[in-house]
Amino acid sequence: MSTLMKRSILLSIWLVSIFLASLPVCGHAAENSFAKKTDFKDNRTIVIEFAGAVDEEWATSPANFKVNEKQNPDVLLPVEKVELSPDKKTVLIRFGEDIDLRAAHVVSMTPVSSEGKNMGPAILDVKKSYFGYLFSILIGAMLINNYVFTKYLGLCVFIGTSRKKDTAVGMGITFTIVMVVSAMISWFLYQYVLKPYRLDYLQVVVFIGLVSLTVQAVDTVLRKVNPALFKAFGVYLVLVIANCVIIAVPLTLASNEYNAFESFMLALGAGGGFLLALFLMSASRERLELANVPPTFRGLPIAFVATGLFALAFMGFSGMAIF
């Protein structure tokens, strides 16, 4: 691995650290200090912890709780029932339908009653930690929704460059750099050019053009800095231009309306997932070269069998929820 590539990796890690350090710490805001903590238990339940025991008659009445999304204060969510824990310090608000855990919610409560005393009304903000949400995007793109093993994208480059670990790691790093740079430029153009001027229908053409420019830049740099790695990539570096993984990331961040931080984490996770897939596949193919494989399965057939087994293994991450 060249010195320039190592420096690029260190610079990327440093930039990620700065981004995460600059993020605000999101929690809950309570106008009543008697309410200690709020959180989502699942997609139909909000949990509220109090500093002391609350009266059961007050706590179990749904009429005492009004919940709405912060962006839609006029639309109240249907509270199905309210449960009180045995120690009477935790209230579980259950809803009749799924709620959007990505959105901030507001819980308005009538004056809290504790041991017959009026503790005053409370308005609580309930939202996921933004750092946790960013981390879930990163891990989701890398493992849970790996673009190779769960979405079956980019198989051409994946199969072609996974014969040797050195080539696979080099392609994975190059692929990640191209993906992050092109995704951030695509996000900027989408948010500030395509959307304001209603040119959304041109997003595929624009994204492919941006990826082409990025790949051409990487092609020129590798040709000068590391000719051996450039020669090992061969035609596959050119194929990155129209690779479906590279195009899928800008389309995903555009459809989900991700901001800059979220788009960066998605691109980094997708690139890291592709690097992980290449490394695992190259390690197994090097071992398969020494294995006693039947003649009819040697080469690509056994490679596809191994890919299918990896895909089955990654399906075990399906449905996982981070934060």
Side-chain angles (χ1 to χ4, degrees):
M1 189 182 301
S2 66
T3 304
L4 180 61
M5 190 169 293
K6 290 180 180 178
R7 291 178 179 176
S8 300
I9 297 172
L10 293 175
L11 179 61
S12 301
I13 296 173
W14 181 70
L15 289 174
V16 173
S17 302
I18 292 178
F19 284 159
L20 296 180
S22 63
L23 295 177
V25 179
C26 300
H28 70 276
E31 290 187 358
N32 191 322
S33 59
F34 192 68
K36 290 175 56 180
K37 183 181 178 182
T38 61
D39 199 2
F40 296 106
K41 183 179 180 181
D42 51 46
N43 58 355
R44 289 198 176 192
T45 308
I46 288 178
V47 180
I48 304 175
E49 295 182 9
F50 294 92
V54 295
D55 294 340
E56 184 175 358
E57 184 179 355
W58 172 85
T60 56
S61 175
N64 293 326
F65 301 88
K66 294 182 179 179
V67 185
N68 62 270
E69 290 187 5
K70 201 165 188 175
Q71 296 181 345
N72 300 304
D74 298 328
V75 181
L76 297 179
L77 301 178
V79 178
E80 190 175 63
K81 64 178 179 178
V82 183
E83 299 176 1
L84 185 63
S85 64
D87 62 1
K88 298 185 177 181
K89 291 184 178 181
T90 303
V91 170
L92 285 79
I93 305 175
R94 302 193 183 277
F95 301 93
E97 58 186 35
D98 291 346
I99 58 178
D100 186 2
L101 301 184
R102 296 174 299 177
H105 289 69
V106 178
V107 179
S108 303
M109 297 184 291
T110 59
V112 181
S113 179
S114 174
E115 298 179 352
K117 298 179 181 179
N118 187 337
M119 308 303 295
I123 300 177
L124 311 176
D125 286 347
V126 189
K127 52 188 173 184
K128 290 282 189 180
S129 167
Y130 192 59
F131 175 82
Y133 177 58
L134 289 178
F135 185 72
S136 67
I137 293 177
L138 176 68
I139 297 300
M142 186 179 296
L143 295 177
I144 302 173
N145 298 308
N146 186 281
Y147 279 79
V148 176
F149 292 136
T150 64
K151 298 182 182 297
Y152 311 110
L153 300 177
L155 293 179
C156 177
V157 176
F158 171 73
I159 295 295
T161 60
S162 60
R163 294 181 179 179
K164 301 294 181 182
K165 279 190 285 190
D166 293 340
T167 305
V169 171
M171 173 57 84
I173 294 173
T174 304
F175 202 90
T176 302
I177 294 173
V178 171
M179 188 176 295
V180 171
V181 173
S182 62
M184 296 310 297
I185 298 176
S186 300
W187 174 84
F188 180 82
L189 287 179
Y190 179 77
Q191 294 294 334
Y192 295 100
V193 178
L194 298 183
K195 278 183 63 178
Y197 295 99
R198 298 182 179 179
L199 299 174
D200 304 37
Y201 59 92
L202 294 175
Q203 59 183 342
V204 175
V205 178
V206 173
F207 293 162
I208 290 178
L210 290 173
V211 172
S212 303
L213 292 175
T214 308
V215 172
Q216 185 60 46
V218 173
D219 181 281
T220 304
V221 172
L222 277 181
R223 192 189 299 267
K224 298 293 183 181
V225 174
N226 197 333
L229 186 61
F230 172 80
K231 186 177 180 180
F233 287 164
V235 70
Y236 295 104
L237 185 60
V238 180
L239 290 177
V240 173
I241 294 176
N243 192 286
C244 41
V245 179
I246 294 283
I247 304 301
V249 172
L251 292 176
T252 300
L253 63 89
S255 61
N256 291 336
E257 294 293 338
Y258 283 156
N259 60 29
F261 293 117
E262 295 161 0
S263 300
F264 180 82
M265 298 304 282
L266 175 68
L268 188 64
F274 195 82
L275 172 59
L276 176 64
L278 281 174
F279 180 79
L280 292 175
M281 190 61 186
S282 62
S284 66
R285 290 184 74 175
E286 285 186 354
R287 296 292 298 271
L288 287 172
E289 292 291 334
L290 304 175
N292 186 20
V293 180
T296 54
F297 281 91
R298 291 174 186 170
L300 283 179
I302 194 64
F304 278 109
V305 171
T307 303
L309 293 176
F310 277 122
L312 286 174
F314 270 74
M315 284 181 64
F317 295 109
S318 300
M320 284 183 60
I322 308 295
F323 291 94

